[in-house]
Amino acid sequence: MMSDYRRLNRANWDDRAPLHAGSGDYALDSFRTDPSHLSHVVRFDQPRLGDIRGLDAVHLQCHIGTDTLSLARLGATMTGLDFSPASLTEARKLAESTSTPIDFVEADLYDAVSALGAARFDLVYTGIGALCWLPDIRRWAETVAALLRPGGRLFLREGHPVLWSIDETRTDALTIGYPYFETADPIVFTGESTYAETDSAITNTTTNEWNHGLGEIVEALLQADLTLTQLLEHDSVPWEPLPGRMVCGEDHEWRLIDHPERLPLTYTLQARKP
């Protein structure tokens, strides 16, 4: 049976999917009208991704598929996996409307190996608001390792665990208000809004989330016998997590208005399977 956290979170993401598909922030019309259009997330990643032409790649927790499609446009043979059927409905419609062959599979992240097959991929791509929905970072790392072929690599850009620990309701100071390290119990949030600009509210408002410290993430990958090849921290993030204290640049990345060097907002991590 589906656990409570999965049921709650899937209902929330099923609500978000059509709202995000209709939001200008996801720019689905740009994908349909411009065959060279890439998501801002993948465009940021591109210098570190390098040449991915001809690679068999999987995008874990792919949501409505804009990053998945962008990776396909860079030449990878793409599979997208997500647990939200509503998200995958939107992803498949986008792929079909752009005549892009992408295999979208509905499954929970921890069931990815049974759903997709072991040692199938040259590249596992994931990030930006993905890991916070998972209660066990070691199981995630084991899943990634099992999906990769020997010589394959993980590419992860994600919200920094320091950012996830900041209390976004405090506007007078940057204050730690949530756990930095992984906890047994989830952090429970309730809210009708989403991070994208939309005209409607979310009905299924409760979510369960977890933070994972940077050391916990790295150690989980090492324990899964992956070799760390890159770890970069960035002062920018592709959404506005601290409203009123950030400014969006021409690169569509948000940074602190005041002394952006104070806070790591995202990081890029790459690891390879021997």
Side-chain angles (χ1 to χ4, degrees):
M1 294 181 63
M2 185 180 297
S3 63
D4 285 343
Y5 85 85
R6 290 180 184 178
R7 183 162 45 249
L8 288 170
N9 291 346
R10 191 177 76 170
N12 181 268
W13 281 100
D14 282 346
D15 277 0
R16 295 191 200 206
L19 301 182
H20 289 176
S23 172
D25 291 345
Y26 274 88
L28 265 59
D29 286 343
S30 295
F31 284 100
R32 296 185 178 108
T33 59
D34 180 2
S36 66
H37 180 77
L38 302 176
S39 69
H40 298 307
V41 168
V42 169
R43 195 172 296 280
F44 182 95
D45 292 338
Q46 197 173 358
R48 287 161 290 280
L49 269 171
D51 186 358
I52 62 171
R53 288 175 295 179
L55 297 184
D56 291 322
V58 60
H59 180 193
L60 300 180
Q61 297 167 273
C62 66
H63 190 36
I64 63 172
T66 51
D67 297 337
T68 325
L69 173 56
S70 298
L71 295 169
R73 288 182 169 180
L74 293 179
T77 300
M78 290 304 304
T79 297
L81 180 136
D82 203 274
F83 75 155
S84 162
S87 293
L88 293 178
T89 294
E90 301 296 342
R92 291 184 181 112
K93 287 194 295 187
L94 177 62
E96 289 169 6
S97 68
T98 58
S99 301
T100 308
I102 300 173
D103 182 21
F104 286 105
V105 177
E106 181 185 334
D108 184 76
L109 181 283
Y110 293 136
D111 298 326
V113 178
S114 60
L116 301 176
R120 264 195 60 191
F121 299 101
D122 305 304
L123 175 67
V124 169
Y125 178 95
T126 191
I128 300 301
L131 299 189
C132 62
W133 304 98
L134 304 175
D136 187 340
I137 200 64
R138 286 183 178 268
R139 285 186 65 193
W140 167 81
E142 291 165 357
T143 300
V144 168
L147 291 169
L148 286 170
R149 294 170 176 152
R153 63 172 167 141
L154 163 70
F155 187 100
L156 168 69
R157 187 191 178 211
E158 178 59 288
H160 201 287
V162 172
L163 173 63
W164 295 130
S165 70
I166 298 294
D167 183 353
E168 78 284 0
T169 66
R170 290 282 302 272
T171 59
D172 57 325
L174 295 174
T175 303
I176 299 294
Y178 303 109
Y180 174 84
F181 296 107
E182 183 180 298
T183 55
D185 294 327
I187 309 165
V188 180
F189 292 103
T190 302
E192 295 181 351
S193 62
T194 180
Y195 52 82
E197 185 175 344
T198 64
D199 295 329
S200 303
I202 293 171
T203 302
N204 294 284
T205 57
T206 300
T207 59
N208 286 182
E209 302 177 35
W210 290 263
N211 202 359
H212 312 284
L214 196 56
E216 292 176 326
I217 296 165
V218 170
E219 180 65 14
L221 293 168
L222 296 177
Q223 289 295 319
D225 295 326
L226 298 181
T227 301
L228 189 70
T229 59
Q230 184 176 62
L231 180 58
L232 298 173
E233 295 173 295
H234 310 291
D235 69 354
S236 67
V237 61
W239 81 98
E240 188 183 12
L242 303 173
R245 287 175 282 178
M246 309 189 79
V247 61
C248 189
E250 293 183 0
D251 58 357
H252 300 273
E253 292 277 311
W254 292 83
R255 294 170 176 84
L256 287 176
I257 297 171
D258 184 28
H259 294 290
E261 71 278 3
R262 290 180 296 164
L263 183 66
L265 297 176
T266 55
Y267 64 95
T268 296
L269 184 154
Q270 296 198 64
R272 190 168 293 278
K273 184 173 183 176

